Amino acid sequence: MSTILNFKNIHKSYDANPAVKGVSFSVDAGKVLGILGRNGAGKTTIVNLLVGLLSSDEGQVELFNSMPPYDQTTRSKIGLAPQRIALYSSLSIMENLTFFATLQGLKGSELEKKVNYASEKMGLETFIHRKVKACSEGMKRRANMAVALLSNAELLLLDEPTAGVDIQSRQHILDVVLDLKNSGKTVLYTTHYIEEADQVCDEVLILHEGRALACASTQDLIAQYGGDSQISYQETEQGQPFVLSSREPAKAVHQLFDSHSSIFNLRVIPPSLQDVLTNLLNGEKLSA
Amino acid sequence: MREIIHLIKKDCMLIVRDASNLVMILLLPLLIATIFGAINSASEETNKLAVALVDNDKTPISAAYIERLSQRDDLEIIQSTLEEAQNATRLGDVIAYMILEPDFGARLQQFPFISSPPEIRIVSDPKRKVISGMITGITIPTAMELVQERQDSGTSGMASPSLQPLKITHEDYVVESELPVSAFSITVPQAALWSILACVAIMSTSLATERLQQTILRLKVSPTPMWVILSSKILSCMFTIFISCAILIVYGKIAFQLNIQSFAMLSFAILCSAFCFAGLMLAIGSLGSNPGSVAGAAWSIMVIFAMLGGGMMPQFLMPEWLSALSSISPGKWSILLMEGAIWRNYSIVEALFPAAILIGLGGLGCVAGVRNLNREKFI
């Protein structure tokens, strides 16, 4: 599997304030990498460094084996949905899509096809002729992402695409990301919602104050940093609940059955990305 | 009380931290104070009224009269042939020309024992008609002084102070053409300038909005090269200016029978002006990302240019240094070039200098704008 994106030991500061401190990661073709971090962790700076809008102070960025500033061919392989709604508010969604499709070099029936594809994919057909300023936040977000789908981009950079949207729109956006993944596209997805990263990402980079705390597949992260599974049970039907922690929950459950004649309301809660994040941040605090 | 102080502090910080706000609330008033202060306080330094003088009399009396006029602080007399005087007026180098008729000396010598006094024709730039009244106010007392001096030395009869020693006739300078100059010929370049200024304010605000909404970021990442994006920004501003000026001219033709000496030259003038102001639009639009303050800054800068360009007060009222400074105002050169096409009948060579200044200023604006936009940080 070829590596599409390489981010090697990148440092970036705004004046004297470091925003990214020695971050490294790479993304293979067809994978979804999630960058998970709080606001101000450096997610958008990484996206801007990747697309060449910012230059790094140290380190090397590579996209499709070329370094910024990228040529036209490399740029045509990138689809970007910025964190803000980067659309012309006085124009309709259709006019926006048509304009940005033109900048991708599309014309005629090809342009029409792409605009239809993007609007259908994002569920915008009903509002396609509505001016952006008259759209709800959810519609705007979907339109913002639709623009990223106009090109034949191999890599999609989605910078917090679900920020401030309703549950339906969020799920729609997540479904589209999964579709993109299934169709072989490479996606870089920044978010501060753990459940989103859990749902759509193959790998997750956990970013904290500009530093990468960990980067691996969700399973590996959970195995490495998630800690113990939680096992809760009751000894009698109305009895007091007990909670056990164990690295090997199956073994622990066997032992429970062996040692108790009856067990009620047994539940095994495996560690989640939330636990990974909590443990990593606690570790950060301790080392600080 | 503490809350009030914090609210005030917050508002002040918001104002101070946007460069375009500072242009509007500090730079503009400071420049207005400087310009008007200089005009009101420095009367000795004030620019002299440049007037061409054609002496068709060529007698010692006409020479003495010219000498006396030349000694005045408020006039700059440029002795010329009729052709030179007409040309200087046409090009706007002088505000008017005066013609001393062939019997000027003889008549002045006989004053007041003649039926009609000597005549001076003042032919003024039609744009500066008002000033010909000021020239009259200077020429008559000067003639009176000369008459009295000659009477004191016994070379002339006694003059009656109640009589006018000169007969002044006023004419507007008109380019030799079959096309008459209408009032609209004078006002159309000024109206076009206002239209251009409005285009600059609107387009620079639109650029700031693009930066605020980050659509410019999307354009930067697209496969379309940055130079194409910025060129199209400049071209769309030029196109808007061109269309608005064209509408104005068509309106002038239909409603006021506006006559234009050269359509090709007028197109060239509007094109140069459009490039100049499109460059300035790019520079102003890249000053900030708050559309409201960029709009304010755009209007402030345009008002400064209009003031320096003589759009709000005659340049002869300015001290010399300020008059020299006015040469950086694109408004001045834009109007001059349009007038050159409409009624001043500029040749290509005559149009080259103002055109070069406009293109140069536009180029500087483009460079400044591109630099600012490339320096931009996306956080």
Side-chain angles (χ1 to χ4, degrees), chain A residues 48 72 75 84 88 103 144, chain B residues 210 212 218 222-224 378:
Chain A
N48 288 336
Q72 223 169 322
R75 288 211 303 269
R84 287 202 189 171
Y88 297 99
L103 289 188
N144 195 40
Chain B
E210 288 230 31
L212 179 74
R218 198 157 233 160
S222 76
T224 308
F378 294 90

Side-chain angles (χ1 to χ4, degrees), chain A residues 255-275:
Chain A
Q255 282 172 353
L256 265 180
F257 279 113
D258 289 346
S259 58
H260 292 77
S261 53
S262 57
I263 298 278
F264 295 90
N265 297 329
L266 176 74
R267 282 198 303 155
V268 178
I269 306 158
S272 64
L273 263 184
Q274 174 67 61
D275 298 314

Side-chain angles (χ1 to χ4, degrees), chain A residues 82-196:
Chain A
Q83 194 179 345
R84 287 202 189 171
I85 309 289
L87 299 169
Y88 297 99
S89 56
S90 302
L91 303 184
S92 68
I93 293 176
M94 176 61 126
E95 287 163 336
N96 269 288
L97 292 178
T98 308
F99 169 70
F100 285 113
T102 313
L103 289 188
Q104 295 293 334
L106 300 173
K107 53 188 171 186
S109 61
E110 200 190 353
L111 183 145
E112 204 179 322
K113 219 169 111 183
K114 268 288 176 193
V115 168
N116 288 339
Y117 161 78
S119 61
E120 275 171 33
K121 193 90 177 159
M122 297 312 300
L124 294 164
E125 306 97 310
T126 327
F127 329 105
I128 195 82
H129 296 294
R130 194 178 288 185
K131 282 184 182 166
V132 171
K133 62 183 170 192
C135 292
S136 69
E137 194 62 26
M139 280 186 235
K140 284 179 190 171
R141 278 277 160 213
R142 282 191 265 161
N144 195 40
M145 192 164 149
V147 176
L149 305 181
L150 287 170
S151 59
N152 288 318
E154 291 173 36
L155 171 67
L156 287 139
L157 303 168
L158 311 177
D159 193 3
E160 298 193 24
T162 59
V165 302
D166 55 89
I167 294 167
Q168 288 85 354
S169 287
R170 174 187 285 195
Q171 195 49 55
H172 191 107
I173 290 168
L174 293 176
D175 289 345
V176 171
V177 177
L178 287 170
D179 268 4
L180 291 168
K181 177 183 164 181
N182 293 335
S183 61
K185 301 278 185 195
T186 310
V187 180
L188 188 133
Y189 188 98
T190 77
T191 182
H192 48 250
Y193 298 117
I194 293 160
E195 60 275 25
E196 286 184 10

